[in-house]
Amino acid sequence: MERHPFDTRPGEEAAATGGFVGRHEETRRLREALRTGRSLTVVRGQAGTGTSRLVDEVLAETEFAEWTHLRGTCPTTGPDTAPAHERGTHPGGPTTTVPLGPVTEALATLPYRPGLPARPLPPVTGVVGLVVPELADRLPRPPAAADDPEVRRGLLPRAIRALLALLGDTVLILEDVHHADPATVGLLHRLADSMPARLRVVVTEDAAPGLPVLGVRAAGGTRLQEVSLRPWTPQETDDCVRRWLGDHRPARADERRDLAALVHELSGGLPGAAGALLEDAGELLRADGAAAHRPRTDALLTAVRETAVPLRLRRELARRCAPLTEDARRIVAAAAVLGRPVPVDLLAHVADLAPERADAAVDACLRQSVLRTEGPCPAFRNPLDRRAALARVPGPRLARLSLRAARALHRSSDGPPPLTDLARLYTAAGRVRDGLRCLVAAADRAAATGDYATATSLYTRAVAEDPRAQGRIRTAAKLARTAQLARAGEDVVAAVRTVLDEDDPPPRLRGEIRLHLSVVLRNQSGGALDSLNEVARAIPDLEACDPQIAARAMAVAAIPSLQGWPVTRHQAWLDRAETLAGRVVDPVARAAIAANRATALMLLGDPRAWPAAEILRGPAGSAMEAAHHARGLTNLAHASSALGHGTRARDFLDRAVDGLADSSSPYLEGLVETGRLVLAWHAGQWHDLYAAADRTTRDYREIPDLTAEAMLVRGLTALHVLGDVPRARRDLAEAAATTRYDTGFILTASAAATARVHLEAGRPGQAGDAVEEVLRRLERTGGWVWAAEVLPVAVEALHGSGQSSRARRLVDDFAAGIADRDAPAPRIALAVCRALLARAADRPDEAVGLLADAETRWRQLGRPLDAARAAEARGRCLLDLYGESAAGGVQDVVEAYRHLGARWDVARCRRLLRSHAIVTTHRRGRIGYGDQLSPREQEVARLVVQGRANRDIAESLVLSTRTVEHHVARIMRKLNATSRTGIALTGWRDEAGSGPGGPPWTVTDGAVSPPPRNGNDRSGDRP
């Protein structure tokens, strides 16, 4: 019987939509067994792992496609009645086993082959025609003795072997050999003892415990092979999902990984279940309409998570359950209700079965692959099977079993009770109040152990499910308090706001809930003004009821933001909080206030921040105190890094990591990661920085400010390291749009980098536009201590667009705003601003001195990029003064940028030299490239193949658009291409997938590698 390579038997559905993955070694072994000649191969695996699919894939290969393929399936013979006391009637009635049924089924589809009768067939083969009528007219008349059933039964195995020996290269596939009848097993023994030279036998076998295992001895040169299949690993599921997404819709790597993780969790790694899920997802995409309206992957994730069990899987589970006795079905229902692996005696109690009957019933469930074992505890193979089985339990019975299961779990727990499961069971039993009590207790336990993510999820459920206003209020207070230390999404904010708006909490709780909600809004899901206004609304209620919490609220309001109030208002709240500090006795409240006070002082550049930070070194008496200390330390790291205290910032981060060792707070862990990214950026530690920033952007995309900061670093590395201006501008703009409570780095650095791109392209007006909003925020808030990133480039942009007087006013305001601040980076940036004003006022000597001092001070702070920028600005002044004789200084800057890996900056400096008619060449002179692309042309060709426009290429390589046009024309001539598309169609590729020698900078898996630094590297020496 010939089968299409994607056909499957019931229960072995292929994940055809995702391709054939994860079976390389198994495929090789089966292929080798077929190639070696006579062999018997057992392909063994649990139902759903793809045993039939593996056979199909190998036999579909070209070298086996012309062989004769015969296939039959051993049928299930009736109810699973191995133990005597379980004997019953199969729902479909008794089933009669036909001896050699799967073999005769295979032979009935034997294709007609013209060469078959070329030589006389042995008379014994005629016996086959008696049991396979389809072959009767092609075989000799059977011997007369074969009319006797006993004689025919004895001759038939010989006849089948003789016929198979005449078919040439043949594969006999027998599916589900664990169900084989005795005659079929006997034939397999005969073939194994005396296998025809060109016959290969392949059988598939279910690996479920308790099923028969084919016992066979190979003799006479027959090779015996076993190929075992296991469920997919998470990586193999990811591969399947990647292929499926490639066929249906593009997706980012993080989207694919999330979908793959969900598919693997729900399917248990079984390819059949994964394929069914993906097929249903494909139906969702098709139902959604045109490609332009494809659903987002997060919507697809939600749909996969919440959809019903795919029809194919429900029917397959029903097929596996059909042979089960009533006792076994009761075990299945009990396991579905319990929803967790439990010992057999507990299953027996819930199913109301005697222990010995329960043991036999569990064995039957295992044999049918309805359940599997996890140590001594049976469980479903995956969540989809469990959901399908639970859907088969009628409502009244479900309620009774759920209550019985809840009571049994409560009594049987040796350790802490499984509160989440108890909550689910009591709720299913209609005991809503008991269920909510367990749910809140589970959340309390998670919060007490530092698992804030789990606690937040459980509290949110409790608020949504509680029908009582007072219960919702109490839980909402816990939710708001815990959510600030977890990843809190819009569902958390919506739940808390609903309680505030509809349940009328008492003043004290209302104020406390608003206070904690303000922190959630500030850190994760709202905006600065939303957060601050929520605090302002909370304080009156708190002052009247609880001065301790009021002091904490004031400390929250004291934390300034470039997107918030004027810093004087924040300072006023800080002063008010200090007047109440002596009345705070709760250790957790004192830790929270101490963390906020130190953070606020550091963000303002107040020298009092350092002694305030020392308070956070003290021991913590609880997990919540430790979390607040860690939060304060990570905040201090971010704030001190922006001010130029890099060494102290690293120390703060290291101490924060130590404090987080025994807790789980995704927000704080992400804050540590983004802090390390920013420190690495400032320190010029850029190896793999793009990849790290990209990974963090994906990992914390639910938390806006973490996403924005990681995205900012990704954009900065895309610009300076990759030289990819379009990608950088997208990231920089998105980072600025994403941040909710920027404390002075994201908005300023994003605006500054964008303005530098415009300035280099000769667009000072657009550069001014890029920084305008940030300048207005600085003027409105008075947060001049945060202006170090943006003000130097703002001065250049304003001067270039004829607004020098405004530039001078801003610098004066900057100087006044940082006069009494402990802020080394802003002070150096002020010197750079004054140098730029001096150069604009035609005082180059003054500018050179200021910039030389700034370069030295930046290096002392460990900020090599800022130092190189100051040196570059000094070099520009010197070129204006002395012309070509000052080129050496700029060439030194080029080497500094090269050492950093700042590709875009190298190109900018080389353009500066070219603009002064200074072209660097190798000492042996320029070399010609003939019909080969020069390094610069390779760079341009790489970007053309990526679909970049000339203007984008010019920005990325810091060239004029006209120069790029000339390069493109030469590339087309050298490659005999008639258009830009033709460059790609010529097959031009480099070693990084972009062109023939590779670009001078390559990116592999997000890691950036610089060009070789040797005397033969001339990239960029020509325009």
Side-chain angles (χ1 to χ4, degrees), residues 455-461 463 474-484 491-493 495-496 516 520:
T456 297
S457 174
L458 296 176
Y459 283 137
T460 304
R461 280 180 50 195
V463 171
R474 287 193 300 271
T475 306
K478 296 179 178 182
L479 170 60
R481 183 184 307 116
T482 305
Q484 60 188 292
D491 57 333
V492 173
V493 176
V496 175
H516 296 306
V520 173

Side-chain angles (χ1 to χ4, degrees), residues 64 253 344 381 589 595 652 667 699 764 981 1019:
F64 309 123
V344 175
R381 301 186 308 158
F652 286 138
Y667 172 70
D699 288 347
T981 303
S1019 60

Side-chain angles (χ1 to χ4, degrees), residues 302 317 489 587 662 676 758 790 812 822-823 842 898 967:
T302 301
L317 181 71
D662 297 324
R676 295 205 187 282
H758 288 304
V790 74
D812 290 341
D822 182 4
D842 201 21
R898 282 177 59 82
H967 281 310

